[in-house]
Amino acid sequence: MRTWNIGIVGGGPGGLMTAHALQKLADKPIRITLFEASNRLGGKILTPQFQKASVKFEAGAAEFYDYSQHDEDPLKLLISELGLSISPMAGSAVIANNQVLSNLDDIRNHFGANAYQSLVEFDRIARDWMTPQEFHESDYPDGANQKPGLYRFDSLLAEIEEPSARKYIEDLIHSDLATEPSQTSIAYGLQNYVMNNGKYMDLYSIEGGNEQLPRALAARINANVLLNHPVSRIDKSTEGSWNVQTIHAGKTQTHEFDYVVIALPHNHLSSLTFGGERLKAAVDKHYGYYHYPAHYLRVTILFDRPFWRGRLTDSFWMLDHFGGCCLYDESSREPESKYGVLGWLMAGSAAEELSALDDEQLIELALDSLPDFLPDGRVHFLEGHVYRWLNAVNAMPSGLVPRRHDQRHQPEPDEHPELFLVGDYLFDSTLNGVLDSANYVAAWIATNISDTL
């Protein structure tokens, strides 16, 4: 019986999830080769450790979204299937003007009745626009018939007359958007607003570090994993097979496949060369359709103790610095540790601009941003690290108008139906979305193989 050769470009979550799903779904023999440009698997899921203490922290994706209150949640099921344990995460407060605002009463007391009323009205508009069930089902598998988004999210925010209420909302969702309201759609902006309501979804992390997920996937896939093998060129031969060209140890190598899956972040697509004008034009068009770059910057600091616990007890808070950032209590992931860890997730234009500073300057800015009621940050400081994720996510996932799932994943179906794309930018810029994308492509390839005599 024929063995089908499948090449997967990218050893991040998308590539690993695609390989795992293919193994489960294919009913014919397959041979998978996975190419990773760096020396590690996992991509944006990264859980390193400090040097001065055996304490881990999330340098990349910090949490997973839990939709199981509405329906089956494929990512949560996968994590359970892999034997990994999870811990819930929660955060409902915004730290504004050095005050912790946890509910509408706090907002009214701090900003006044007008801001309170503006926020109540905006909240009603957002929840009327999308129910929790609609939020869960908002990936438009058959595409959307709407006109291209003529109105960006800032046009809706501009209707909020009270400036303090408008800034509160911007601070609340900035680190989720990873961009500015003027650079994304009303739909995506409202999605990121309503998800702060527990009726829409919950959050969790993986015990022992989120990088347990790619490690568990890598341990379970039967694939030829080639690290330090950046792919430089992909083209289709005259005989119908696919050639993937890599560079390793200064030497160019060519690998032949029946199917190729490109599971790279959107911004990495431009690093590849595609053979043939038709394919190149199709991939360029695909790249342009989803080219809405968004940015993250993470600053994580180890302290000798969690000195904030008397005032702050959640897993994270939104902070009114850097255009609105998320401040994580990373040490809440390891409650038995005597150390304290805070992580700043800066986003959008602030992340892009600040990334030019050196690590020491960024650590100083993070310490400066601590609220006045936590004045002892430098006293307890031990170690800090910075991770830059510029262009790593998408400000308009699924594009201005979502296309059908097949159109999102196959850039040139007529003459190149064996080439597929996988990515979170095709859905919602989340790890849940990249799993949906990987499962869709794996099922498609498995069906094609099964139907072939």
Side-chain angles (χ1 to χ4, degrees):
M1 183 179 292
R2 175 181 179 179
T3 297
W4 295 83
N5 287 315
I6 302 170
I8 299 177
V9 182
L16 292 168
M17 290 171 176
T18 303
H20 184 260
L22 274 168
Q23 285 185 177
K24 294 174 63 176
L25 296 173
D27 62 0
K28 300 282 181 68
I30 60 173
R31 182 183 297 113
I32 297 173
T33 301
L34 191 149
F35 301 99
E36 168 54 40
S38 72
N39 63 356
R40 61 172 288 272
L41 299 174
K44 289 182 284 189
I45 306 180
L46 176 62
T47 311
Q49 182 173 290
F50 290 103
Q51 296 175 353
K52 293 185 177 180
S54 298
V55 178
K56 298 176 181 178
F57 62 95
E58 299 302 338
E63 67 269 322
F64 302 89
Y65 295 168
D66 182 358
Y67 302 115
S68 60
Q69 59 180 295
H70 305 296
D71 201 351
E72 185 177 89
D73 187 325
L75 181 54
K76 195 173 182 182
L77 290 173
L78 173 63
I79 290 171
S80 176
E81 174 192 331
L82 295 172
L84 303 175
S85 300
I86 65 173
S87 296
M89 299 177 63
S92 59
V94 173
I95 303 174
N97 302 322
N98 296 299
Q99 299 294 316
V100 181
L101 310 180
S102 299
N103 51 53
L104 286 173
D105 288 339
D106 290 344
I107 292 169
R108 178 166 47 194
N109 293 335
H110 186 70
F111 289 125
N114 290 339
Y116 167 85
Q117 193 57 47
S118 293
L119 285 170
V120 169
E121 177 62 20
F122 183 85
D123 187 73
R124 182 193 62 79
I125 291 172
R127 288 185 291 107
D128 285 350
W129 174 80
M130 176 170 281
T131 67
Q133 191 64 34
E134 289 169 334
F135 174 81
H136 175 63
E137 299 171 350
S138 60
D139 63 346
Y140 301 102
D142 298 320
N145 295 320
Q146 67 205 51
K147 295 180 179 179
L150 300 178
Y151 302 102
R152 301 297 173 102
F153 188 45
D154 62 327
S155 67
L156 180 62
L157 293 178
E159 297 178 11
I160 303 173
E161 296 182 0
E162 178 57 49
S164 59
R166 184 165 59 249
K167 185 176 186 305
Y168 175 90
I169 294 170
E170 291 172 349
D171 291 342
L172 178 69
I173 66 175
H174 189 227
S175 64
D176 289 317
L177 290 177
T179 189
E180 311 313 310
S182 61
Q183 301 300 313
T184 192
S185 65
I186 289 177
Y188 192 55
L190 287 177
Q191 280 180 318
N192 281 275
Y193 173 80
V194 298
M195 74 182 191
N196 289 282
N197 186 318
K199 294 181 180 179
Y200 286 78
M201 68 173 205
D202 296 311
L203 298 173
Y204 64 93
S205 61
I206 295 177
E207 292 183 3
N210 292 339
E211 198 170 349
Q212 297 294 313
L213 174 58
R215 290 177 180 174
L217 287 169
R220 286 163 175 78
I221 62 173
N222 182 20
N224 181 24
V225 177
L226 300 179
L227 299 177
N228 299 305
H229 275 72
V231 171
S232 58
R233 180 183 176 88
I234 299 174
D235 55 15
K236 191 175 183 179
S237 70
T238 55
E239 292 78 21
S241 61
W242 283 84
N243 295 320
V244 173
Q245 189 177 91
T246 63
I247 301 174
H248 178 66
K251 296 182 179 180
T252 299
Q253 301 172 329
T254 300
H255 313 259
E256 187 174 333
F257 300 102
D258 300 301
Y259 288 92
V260 173
V261 179
I262 303 174
L264 294 174
H266 173 268
N267 61 309
H268 288 187
L269 284 177
S270 59
S271 68
L272 303 178
T273 298
F274 292 89
E277 289 302 317
R278 186 182 182 97
L279 179 59
K280 181 181 183 303
V283 176
D284 286 346
K285 184 177 180 180
H286 172 95
Y287 179 85
Y289 194 83
Y290 298 100
H291 185 58
Y292 298 98
H295 318 287
Y296 280 128
L297 177 66
R298 281 195 175 277
V299 179
T300 308
I301 298 178
L302 173 70
F303 300 94
D304 60 15
R305 65 181 180 86
F307 60 91
W308 54 88
R309 290 279 171 82
R311 294 293 305 271
L312 302 172
T313 57
D314 284 341
S315 305
F316 59 87
W317 313 270
M318 310 315 296
L319 183 63
D320 63 344
H321 282 69
F322 315 113
C325 77
C326 188
L327 180 63
Y328 289 90
D329 180 359
E330 288 284 331
S331 46
S332 66
R333 305 175 195 269
E334 298 185 44
E336 72 283 354
S337 175
K338 70 173 185 178
Y339 296 96
V341 182
L342 289 177
W344 285 253
L345 179 61
M346 306 169 192
S349 59
E352 187 176 24
E353 294 165 7
L354 291 172
S355 67
L357 301 179
D358 63 36
D359 290 4
E360 289 73 17
Q361 289 174 304
L362 289 168
I363 290 168
E364 284 297 312
L365 287 175
L367 291 169
D368 287 341
S369 73
L370 286 171
D372 290 348
F373 57 82
L374 298 176
D376 300 328
R378 284 179 174 81
V379 174
H380 300 289
F381 174 87
L382 292 177
E383 182 182 342
H385 291 273
V386 176
Y387 287 82
R388 295 164 175 82
W389 300 97
L390 299 186
N391 304 302
V393 289
N394 197 283
M396 200 92 68
S398 74
L400 275 174
V401 179
R403 292 172 166 171
R404 297 195 319 262
H405 280 185
D406 61 327
Q407 294 174 327
R408 300 181 205 184
H409 292 93
Q410 203 171 56
E412 208 297 289
D414 295 329
E415 295 182 11
H416 305 84
E418 306 87 4
L419 179 70
F420 295 88
L421 300 175
V422 164
D424 58 6
Y425 65 92
L426 301 173
F427 285 83
D428 57 7
S429 286
T430 70
L431 292 168
N432 305 70
V434 77
L435 177 61
D436 290 340
S437 181
N439 285 342
Y440 184 82
V441 166
W444 193 343
I445 294 175
T447 299
N448 287 353
I449 292 173
S450 181
D451 290 344
T452 302
L453 296 178

